[in-house]
């Protein structure tokens, strides 16, 4: 996450693409189509400056993170999505393996990581808007002003939130155009202009002291590299489409490999394009990309085009925010209606938009934004928010890896349209790679970086610790306080396999190979669940008048 510049909501939460087209034919996704879908989900320009610091060494980091994050996440989530295609995504996957408590926690972490990540997107949007104006000296001063940044962050976020109240259709359309205009086109332009810059014999500032392999003895120099794990977050979103491929056991790994190569090449070319134009000492995490565009366009005597690029990038970020705001909360609404959030939080408006959850999300983001006051610069705030989001995302992925491994033991006879090759050995190899990458990313994220001024290292670490620990314990408290009446019978959320079978998630399934529960079995459990919910509602009529009327 750095994160996506397109519809990076939670496809894993909101369900798969429709498997049947309007004409009644099953939708079939080709290898190349799925590869491109993954690329557009992941690729972002926002984090290029943080890796440009490393020059040639950034190539090692991109490949290293792909092996320990991008590939394991893609393969594991493809297996889980094809095995459990019913509504629920991440929530269902983890619940089937570790129980509903951990399913809820994993879903909450996914939502929380995106909430914490939002300020980095908004900071970048504020910088892009600042660079729309003239002269350049004014742009740089405005972009580094904390008051301006806070006002822009809050203004953009709440404007996008109010727009989301109108429905997700408009947000999705804005995101589609934003991803193309604000990411794909600017990425191509960046590489082409850098090639022209080199061909014209202009000075190259690519750090010559950097080697392909990093100096692992200097931990604090590796911190910015840890943010690459956030770059690759989101590959699981397209895993739900694995069931729409021909021969997924063969073709899905090929699609993942193609997407991985394309993504790495794009990131490397764009990162080096920034590094050759901007001296290492002048790199700023939030301004360097815009400054690079200005220099490259000025090189061919079109300096005003730098401001046009700023407009395009700002538009792309706005589109991304628009769909992300609604997408992240849609998954939480689904989980809430399944009985894990209070009924007051589950309410929707006439456009079926989850207003209470959106307002809660907005309040949290607004509070996070004011953390900027405690930090010495906008750049340091960007770094803190990025690392906090990275940690929370990786905690979620660690839970997913553990769930995937455990399911091979508790549901060994479950039909898996796509399964990681190699049986249990294969899932352990892929799972352990992901777990090792997750632990490395979490540990590195707590070290203050040497490349930027983050003020007091104690304050930096304290903000990360308090933020991560404070936010992480919330789902445990919510789950402990849940009531039977929180479940909404109208949600039609299908029960988990272990519930239908009448066992605990930790116990091994006794169903024979290929067994699919009948509708009668599902209906029997749903009736039992509905009865418990209505009984609680009737016992608490003052708090649930509407539900008593509905049942009557």
């Amino acid at each position: 996450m750095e994160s996506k510049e397109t519809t990076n909501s939670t496809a894993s939460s909101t369900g798969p693409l429709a498997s049947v087209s309007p004409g009644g034919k099953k939708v079939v996704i080709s290898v190349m189509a799925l590869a491109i879908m993954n690329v557009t989900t992941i690729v972002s320009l926002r984090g290029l400056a943080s890796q440009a610091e490393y020059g040639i060494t950034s190539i090692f980091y991109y490949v290293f993170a792909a092996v320990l994050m991008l590939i394991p996440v893609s393969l594991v989530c493809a297996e889980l999505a094809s095995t459990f295609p019913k509504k629920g995504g991440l929530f269902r996957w983890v619940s089937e393996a570790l129980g509903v408590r951990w399913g809820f926690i994993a879903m909450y972490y996914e939502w929380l990581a995106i909430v914490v990540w939002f300020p980095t997107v908004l900071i970048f949007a504020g910088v892009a808007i600042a660079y729309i104006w003239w002269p350049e000296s004014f742009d740089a001063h405005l972009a580094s002003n904390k008051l301006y940044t806070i006002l822009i962050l809050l203004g953009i976020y709440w404007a996008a939130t109010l727009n989301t109240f109108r429905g997700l259709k408009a947000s999705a359309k804005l995101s589609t155009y934003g991803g193309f205009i604000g990411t794909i086109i600017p990425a191509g332009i960046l590489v082409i202009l850098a090639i022209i810059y080199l061909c014209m014999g202009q000075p190259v500032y690519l750090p010559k002291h950097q080697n392909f392999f990093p100096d692992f003895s200097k931990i604090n120099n590796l911190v910015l590299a840890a943010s690459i794990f956030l770059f690759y977050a989101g590959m699981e979103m397209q895993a739900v489409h694995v069931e729409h491929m021909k021969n997924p056991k063969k073709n899905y790994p090929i699609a993942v490999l193609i997407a991985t190569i394309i993504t790495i090449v794009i990131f490397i070319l764009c990162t080096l394009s920034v590094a050759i134009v901007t001296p290492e000492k002048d790199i700023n995490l939030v301004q360097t990309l815009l400054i690079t565009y200005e220099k490259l366009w000025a090189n061919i005597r079109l300096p005003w085009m730098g401001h046009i690029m700023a407009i395009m990038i700002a538009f792309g970020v706005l589109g991304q925010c628009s769909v992300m705001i609604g997408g992240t909360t849609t998954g939480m609404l689904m989980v809430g209606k399944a009985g894990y959030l209070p009924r007051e939080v589950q309410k929707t408006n006439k456009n079926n938009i989850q207003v209470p959850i959106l307002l809660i999300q907005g309040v949290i983001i607004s509070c996070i934004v004011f953390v900027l006051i405690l930090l010495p610069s906008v750049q340091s705030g960007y770094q803190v928010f990025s690392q906090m989001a990275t940690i929370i995302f990786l905690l979620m992925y660690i839970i997913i890896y553990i769930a995937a491994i455990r399911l091979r033991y508790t549901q060994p006879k479950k039909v898996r349209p796509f399964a990681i090759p190699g049986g249990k050995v294969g899932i352990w190899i892929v799972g352990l790679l992901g777990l090792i990458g997750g632990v490395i990313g979490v540990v590195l994220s707590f070290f203050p970086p040497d490349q930027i001024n983050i003020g007091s290292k104690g304050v930096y670490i304290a903000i990360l610790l308090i933020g991560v620990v404070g936010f992480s314990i919330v789902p445990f408290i919510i789950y402990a306080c849940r009531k039977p009446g929180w479940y909404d019978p109208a949600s039609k959320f299908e029960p988990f396999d272990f519930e239908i079978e009448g066992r605990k998630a930790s116990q091994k399934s006794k169903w024979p190979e290929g067994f699919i529960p009948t509708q009668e079995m599902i209906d029997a459990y749903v009736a039992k669940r509905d009865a418990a919910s209505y009984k609680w509602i009737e016992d608490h009529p003052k708090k649930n008048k509407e539900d008593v009327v509905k049942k009557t």
Side-chain angles (χ1 to χ4, degrees):
M1 150 11 150
E2 199 61 54
S3 295
K4 295 55 51 193
E5 214 71 78
T6 54
T7 61
N8 155 338
S9 59
T10 49
S12 60
S13 307
T14 57
L17 197 68
S19 60
V20 179
S21 66
K25 295 181 178 180
K26 183 178 179 180
V27 175
V28 177
I29 300 177
S30 68
V31 171
M32 200 62 200
L34 186 61
I36 297 301
M37 289 166 67
N38 280 317
V39 171
T40 54
T41 299
I42 294 171
V43 172
S44 168
L45 305 181
R46 209 167 35 258
L48 298 180
S50 65
Q51 303 314 310
E53 291 262 4
Y54 297 105
I56 297 297
T57 312
S58 65
I59 300 175
F60 170 84
Y61 289 130
Y62 281 123
V63 175
F64 179 76
V67 172
L68 292 185
M69 165 100 177
L70 185 58
I71 294 175
V73 165
S74 303
L75 295 176
V76 165
C77 290
E79 176 172 318
L80 294 173
S82 64
T83 305
F84 302 100
K86 294 179 181 178
K87 181 180 179 181
L90 169 64
F91 176 55
R92 184 172 293 279
W93 306 344
V94 176
S95 296
E96 289 283 7
L98 306 175
V100 181
R101 173 188 294 173
W102 284 102
F104 174 68
I105 290 168
M107 190 70 189
Y108 169 88
Y109 283 171
E110 182 182 46
W111 169 74
L112 176 63
I114 294 174
V115 168
V116 174
W117 165 81
F118 254 121
T120 68
V121 184
L122 299 173
I123 287 174
F124 191 71
V127 171
I129 292 172
Y131 273 83
I132 292 173
W133 319 111
W134 282 265
E136 284 73 12
S137 58
F138 171 77
D139 297 345
H141 179 75
L142 187 62
S144 60
N145 185 281
K146 286 197 286 187
L147 178 60
Y148 159 80
T149 301
I150 290 173
L151 293 176
I152 286 294
L153 263 60
L154 296 178
I156 293 176
Y157 180 80
W158 283 105
T161 296
L162 293 176
N163 179 61
T164 303
F165 288 170
R166 299 167 53 203
L168 293 178
K169 186 176 181 180
S171 298
K173 184 178 292 187
L174 181 60
S175 174
T176 301
Y177 289 122
F180 185 71
I181 295 172
T183 300
I184 298 174
I185 293 178
I189 290 174
L190 178 63
V191 175
I192 292 172
L193 290 179
I195 293 173
I196 295 173
Y197 180 90
L198 289 173
C199 292
M200 292 177 66
Q202 298 292 358
V204 176
Y205 296 100
L206 192 67
K208 295 183 176 58
H209 65 280
Q210 301 281 14
N211 299 315
F212 177 78
F213 291 102
D215 183 355
F216 292 105
S217 65
K218 299 179 180 179
I219 297 296
N220 293 74
N221 282 337
L222 305 178
V223 177
L224 291 183
S227 62
I228 290 184
F229 287 103
L230 189 60
F231 285 24
Y232 290 145
M235 183 69 99
E236 78 279 0
M237 296 177 189
Q238 302 302 342
V240 293
H241 302 319
V242 68
E243 63 182 293
H244 305 301
M245 299 187 74
K246 289 183 178 179
N247 193 3
K249 290 187 177 181
K250 173 186 175 183
N251 290 334
Y252 187 81
I254 296 174
V256 168
L257 179 62
I258 293 173
T260 300
I261 293 172
I262 293 175
T263 301
I264 291 174
V265 169
I266 291 175
F267 275 137
I268 289 174
L269 291 178
C270 290
T271 298
L272 296 181
S273 296
V274 173
I276 65 174
V277 177
T278 308
E280 183 181 3
K281 63 181 179 62
D282 295 334
I283 289 179
N284 179 291
L285 297 186
V286 294
Q287 297 184 33
T288 291
L289 180 63
L290 280 303
I291 295 172
T292 299
Y293 277 117
E294 287 187 348
K295 290 182 177 179
L296 290 173
W297 282 113
N299 179 57
I300 57 175
R301 302 182 186 280
L302 294 172
W304 55 272
M305 279 297 296
H307 303 283
I308 302 299
M309 298 304 301
I311 294 174
M312 293 172 65
I313 291 172
F315 177 72
V317 174
L318 179 62
Q320 181 185 16
C321 287
S322 182
V323 76
M324 287 287 293
I325 287 170
T328 55
T329 52
T330 298
M332 289 303 293
L333 176 65
M334 174 202 66
V335 173
K337 286 183 174 293
Y340 302 98
L341 288 176
R343 297 299 291 270
E344 293 79 11
V345 179
Q346 301 174 24
K347 294 180 180 179
T348 58
N349 64 9
K350 63 180 181 180
N351 297 317
N352 202 32
I353 297 299
Q354 50 281 2
V355 174
I357 299 178
L358 283 170
L359 293 177
I360 292 171
Q361 177 174 280
V363 171
I364 294 173
I365 290 175
S366 298
C367 293
I368 292 175
V369 165
F370 281 101
V371 172
L372 277 173
I373 298 173
L374 303 176
L375 298 166
S377 65
V378 173
Q379 180 181 210
S380 59
Y382 180 91
Q383 174 64 15
V384 169
F385 299 144
S386 293
Q387 295 310 128
M388 191 182 298
T390 299
I391 293 168
I392 298 170
F393 257 120
L394 291 175
L395 291 176
M396 177 198 74
Y397 285 129
I398 287 172
I399 294 173
I400 292 177
Y401 296 135
I402 295 173
I405 294 172
R406 189 171 191 177
L407 280 167
R408 286 292 190 96
Y409 292 88
T410 58
Q411 298 191 35
K413 297 181 180 180
K414 182 78 173 177
V415 174
R416 290 172 168 83
F418 170 77
I420 293 173
K424 290 181 179 178
V425 174
I427 189 68
W428 271 103
I429 292 174
V430 174
L432 285 176
L433 275 176
L435 288 170
I436 291 170
V439 172
I440 290 174
V442 169
V443 172
L444 285 178
S445 294
F446 280 104
F447 284 87
D450 285 340
Q451 295 92 332
I452 63 174
N453 175 26
I454 46 86
S456 169
K457 292 185 177 182
V459 172
Y460 176 88
I461 296 174
I463 290 175
L464 282 179
L465 278 175
I466 294 173
V468 171
V469 174
F471 283 134
S472 296
I473 63 175
V474 170
F476 292 92
I477 298 173
I478 295 175
Y479 187 84
C481 296
R482 73 193 188 287
K483 303 289 190 296
W486 288 5
Y487 167 69
D488 182 2
S491 71
K492 294 182 170 55
F493 186 84
E494 291 198 33
F496 302 106
D497 285 357
F498 69 86
E499 292 177 325
I500 299 172
E501 192 176 356
R503 61 179 175 85
K504 295 180 180 180
S506 58
Q507 296 174 326
K508 185 176 180 179
S509 173
K510 295 181 181 179
W511 283 346
E513 188 168 356
F515 180 81
I516 299 176
T518 64
Q519 190 60 48
E520 288 76 14
M521 295 171 67
I522 296 173
D523 291 343
Y525 182 85
V526 170
K528 180 180 177 182
R529 182 176 62 185
D530 289 356
S533 176
Y534 280 128
K535 184 179 185 305
W536 190 90
I537 289 171
E538 289 173 347
D539 291 341
H540 302 79
K542 292 183 179 180
K543 295 182 179 180
N544 302 276
K545 292 180 181 178
E546 294 180 5
D547 295 287
V548 172
V549 172
K550 286 179 183 178
K551 184 172 187 294
T552 304

